[in-house]
Amino acid sequence: MKAFPIPVVAFGPGSQEEDDTLEYIPSPGAMSTFNVPRMPEAIDPAVRDEVLGVLGRLLDAMRAWSFGDPDYPEIDLAGLSAPGLKLVNEALGQGEVSIVVEAGEGRLRIQETVFAGVWRELGFDVAKQQVRDVVSAAPVPGAVGVCARLAGSVGISVPPPPPGVMNAPSILAELVDAAARWKSGDGAHIVNLTLLPLVPDDLAYLDGALGAGSVLVLSRGYGNCRVSSTRLANTWWVQYFNSADNLILNTIEVTDMPDVVPAAADDFGDSVERLDEWIETLRFE
């Protein structure tokens, strides 16, 4: 019998020498899922009825609304009692997405509830006095896109690149051209910075040239995502981080709204069902 011509090498766990300096990527951790909000043990019956009225109107409006229609449901909470407002906030809970909008001389603070596509919107004037308090149902509140567009321009100045900058000027030229040609209904024009040979000076140049817009979005799901509008019209900087807070995907998108921000139609449909069930639960608390 001839000798087997290929050497047999053991493989599998423990068969190979391991480098003591080898670093493993951390586990991504738990994914955010729907959790029923926690409610106080004792609820005043009058406050419960007040809140049930608000949530009932919201649910009826959500059922009657066609997803994506710009005239989305909005329930004003200005007339609620303080205990009623507190209970509404507890009943709706806090979801994954937080948004801050610099709106002219005021500011909007928007928080998605645990029901995807249902948002709490607070508005403040220049003196930081609260002037708006609503709960709305939409893929994303309309003021987010409107304020981002108003603060953007296709005519931004392009500064000369300083020493050390390599590829950023060509990327910036591509983005300026895409923003000038983009129109509503077009697909997103995405530049994936993670895949490009960029040095820190390149990123600093892009950051300075594009500037900060009027909208900042933080999404906490499987890891974290930070979305910020820029001074260039319809242009957004989108950054994804893992659970160890390491940047894993860095993109710039020319679009009306990055896909990571709005709630999806299927999730909104689930929210209608869950809110209905939650109202029934609250009714018999």
Side-chain angles (χ1 to χ4, degrees):
M1 179 181 295
K2 294 183 179 180
F4 193 66
I6 301 176
V8 177
V9 179
F11 66 96
S15 62
Q16 307 296 318
E17 293 185 7
E18 189 169 295
D19 188 347
D20 292 337
T21 63
L22 186 64
E23 295 183 1
Y24 295 95
I25 298 174
S27 169
M31 183 172 65
S32 178
T33 57
F34 175 79
N35 291 303
V36 176
R38 298 176 64 89
M39 298 298 292
E41 294 182 2
I43 302 176
D44 185 312
V47 174
R48 181 198 296 123
D49 291 343
E50 184 182 27
V51 171
L52 285 172
V54 170
L55 298 183
R57 292 198 303 275
L58 174 64
L59 179 61
D60 290 343
M62 291 170 65
R63 284 172 169 163
W65 179 63
S66 296
F67 186 84
D69 186 336
D71 188 18
Y72 57 85
E74 187 177 281
I75 307 297
D76 193 345
L77 303 181
L80 274 180
S81 65
L85 183 60
K86 183 173 184 292
L87 186 57
V88 164
N89 290 334
E90 290 172 340
L92 294 177
Q94 287 194 4
E96 297 179 357
V97 182
S98 302
I99 306 175
V100 176
V101 181
E102 301 296 339
E105 295 184 349
R107 169 179 285 198
L108 286 172
R109 289 173 49 203
I110 302 171
Q111 174 68 52
E112 190 178 35
T113 70
V114 295
F115 304 96
V118 178
W119 308 83
R120 287 285 284 108
E121 301 182 45
L122 298 177
F124 301 87
D125 62 18
V126 67
K128 299 183 180 180
Q129 297 298 311
Q130 185 174 307
V131 294
R132 176 177 173 82
D133 189 357
V134 304
V135 56
S136 60
V140 63
V144 177
V146 170
C147 292
R149 286 190 292 274
L150 290 175
S153 171
V154 294
I156 66 170
S157 60
V158 178
V165 172
M166 297 172 57
N167 296 314
S170 60
I171 294 173
L172 183 60
E174 176 184 344
L175 292 169
V176 170
D177 178 67
R181 291 185 293 105
W182 190 89
K183 58 184 182 297
S184 181
D186 288 351
H189 181 94
I190 301 175
V191 176
N192 189 340
L193 303 179
T194 309
L195 301 179
L196 298 177
L198 301 176
V199 296
D201 287 341
D202 283 315
L203 296 174
Y205 174 79
L206 286 173
D207 184 41
L210 293 173
S214 59
V215 175
L216 174 63
V217 182
L218 299 176
S219 178
R220 303 175 302 276
Y222 198 66
N224 296 309
C225 180
R226 176 189 174 99
V227 180
S228 52
S229 65
T230 69
R231 292 198 303 263
L232 182 60
N234 299 305
T235 303
W236 305 76
W237 204 312
V238 184
Q239 297 175 306
Y240 294 85
F241 301 83
N242 63 14
S243 58
D245 206 29
N246 295 319
L247 182 63
I248 57 175
L249 183 60
N250 193 13
T251 67
I252 300 177
E253 305 185 12
V254 179
T255 182
D256 56 346
M257 184 68 61
D259 288 341
V260 69
V261 179
D266 289 346
D267 292 336
F268 187 84
D270 290 341
S271 292
V272 173
E273 296 180 7
R274 288 169 174 164
L275 182 59
D276 186 19
E277 295 170 356
W278 183 224
I279 288 173
E280 289 305 308
T281 300
L282 183 60
R283 196 182 303 279
F284 297 104
E285 283 283 345

